[in-house]
Amino acid sequence: MLHLRVIAPGDRSSAVVDLLAADPGVTHLVVLPGAAREPAGDYVTCDVVRESADGVLHKLRELGVEAHGAIAAEDVELTLSAAADRAADEAPGHGEDAVVWDEIAAKTGEQTVLTGTFLALITVATMIAGIGVLLDQPILIVGAMVVGPEFGPLAALCVALLRRQPGVVGRSVQALTVGFLVAMVATVLSTWALTATGLVSRDMLLAERPLTDFIWRPDALSWVVGLLAGVAGMLSLTSKKSGSLVGVLISVTTVPAAANVAVAAGYGVWHEAAGSALQLVINLAAIVLAGLLTLVVQLCWWRRVARRGGPGVPRQRAGLPAPVTASRRPPRDAG
């Protein structure tokens, strides 16, 4: 369930309250006339089940609330209310399967900004993976995968492609490109520094590494693993099952592949650098493809649920116009 806080301009307040009161997935509706000062308007709060949240948010934006007032949403961790239980029963679909597209767009949009923290994390992760490659240590490889922040821009890229947002696509690609390039250059320099101190050597790269040599030897399973990771990652994002996201991060070889490219290039072992680069491209492409297909399937699924279940389930998705029919049940008391 989401808690909505809406500042409704005076000329739109009645329409906002009527909209919320008529939706079966909305409950705990409270209206404080004239309470908002900046921007000015009526302060309206309510709880909405996740199954109905996207449709409600879309209709509020159609009323111009976003442009002339404000809409804020936050998760409700615990609700003890018979009214909330009724709202969940009346709204078609299941909350765990619901996709709130505005929430996903906002969450992934934050991951497209090329910040110092992002560069630091991906650089540290790649340097750790570089050492893991030389030592043939899967523990270091797993640790690097967990630290790596690259799934954020990848998820943002999937959402932006579906919603046809070229600006977000460009920022996501920029973050990934610059991030990996900076990380690989830093890893080359760190490898040279460690070699100069005698901690690592070129012979370690050329030696048999049965536990990590898969990183630079891509095959058909590389595509399979990347596709499965993309599906799991997108489902964990859209369904708020963030715990499974860690499993995604340790299931793909993006950061380790970039590290292997850097280490092999630093030592002039170009065939291994080329294999690692191919592994990196395969995994990035597979994750984006699988993530995008997962979003499309979710979009089609919720449209089907909307047609079967009536109001309360979002039909507007990813910038693709499809009207949402308001509920015909009598409006409830607006508070």
Side-chain angles (χ1 to χ4, degrees):
M1 178 166 282
L2 294 179
H3 179 66
L4 298 186
R5 293 179 286 112
V6 180
I7 296 179
D11 59 341
R12 293 172 171 81
S13 180
S14 296
V16 168
V17 174
D18 290 343
L19 183 158
L20 296 174
D23 195 290
V26 175
T27 187
H28 307 153
L29 181 61
V30 177
V31 182
L32 302 176
R37 293 292 180 266
E38 179 56 39
D42 296 344
Y43 183 64
V44 182
T45 69
C46 66
D47 292 332
V48 55
V49 295
R50 292 187 65 86
E51 304 94 297
S52 299
D54 197 64
V56 169
L57 290 172
H58 172 63
K59 288 183 280 186
L60 288 173
R61 295 177 68 178
E62 281 190 330
L63 291 175
V65 176
E66 178 188 22
H68 303 282
I71 306 171
E74 57 188 357
D75 285 310
V76 178
E77 298 296 336
L78 175 64
T79 302
L80 302 177
S81 167
D85 293 339
R86 287 194 298 271
D89 291 338
E90 294 180 17
H94 299 282
E96 289 192 356
D97 297 330
V99 180
V100 184
W101 290 89
D102 285 324
E103 178 187 49
I104 296 172
K107 183 186 302 182
T108 56
E110 297 174 354
Q111 307 298 322
T112 64
V113 181
L114 190 60
T115 63
T117 300
F118 175 83
L119 289 176
L121 285 174
I122 196 169
T123 299
V124 169
T126 306
M127 292 171 67
I128 293 173
I131 297 174
V133 165
L134 291 171
L135 297 179
D136 195 30
Q137 283 292 336
I139 294 178
L140 295 179
I141 299 298
V142 171
M145 291 179 182
V146 174
V147 173
E150 75 280 5
F151 185 75
L154 287 171
L157 179 59
C158 296
V159 175
L161 287 172
L162 184 64
R163 295 170 68 93
R164 296 190 293 274
Q165 296 175 317
V168 179
V169 171
R171 291 195 299 272
S172 301
V173 173
Q174 181 188 45
L176 289 168
T177 303
V178 175
F180 276 117
L181 286 177
V182 170
M184 286 190 285
V185 169
T187 302
V188 170
L189 296 176
S190 68
T191 300
W192 287 344
L194 292 173
T195 302
T197 59
L199 295 177
V200 297
S201 67
R202 189 173 187 269
D203 293 338
M204 297 173 67
L205 183 71
L206 298 177
E208 290 292 327
R209 292 178 285 127
L211 300 180
T212 59
D213 63 355
F214 69 93
I215 295 174
W216 63 277
R217 291 177 175 172
D219 54 22
L221 286 178
S222 300
W223 270 105
V224 174
V225 172
L227 290 171
L228 294 176
V231 173
M234 196 54 63
L235 288 176
S236 69
L237 179 67
T238 58
S239 65
K240 302 186 71 62
K241 297 294 185 182
S242 58
S244 62
L245 192 55
V246 174
V248 176
L249 298 178
I250 64 175
S251 298
V252 294
T253 54
T254 49
V255 165
N260 211 137
V261 171
V263 173
Y267 285 136
V269 184
W270 300 111
H271 71 283
E272 188 166 328
S276 302
L278 180 58
Q279 179 79 272
L280 176 61
V281 171
I282 287 175
N283 276 274
L284 291 175
I287 291 172
V288 172
L289 176 61
L292 182 59
L293 291 177
T294 301
L295 291 175
V296 171
V297 170
Q298 290 178 302
L299 166 63
C300 296
W301 170 260
W302 275 98
R303 283 183 172 174
R304 180 183 178 189
V305 172
R307 286 194 298 267
R308 291 188 306 172
V313 174
R315 294 173 184 249
Q316 170 69 16
R317 287 295 172 273
L320 307 176
V324 180
T325 305
S327 173
R328 296 185 179 182
R329 61 181 296 189
R332 292 174 291 183
D333 184 8

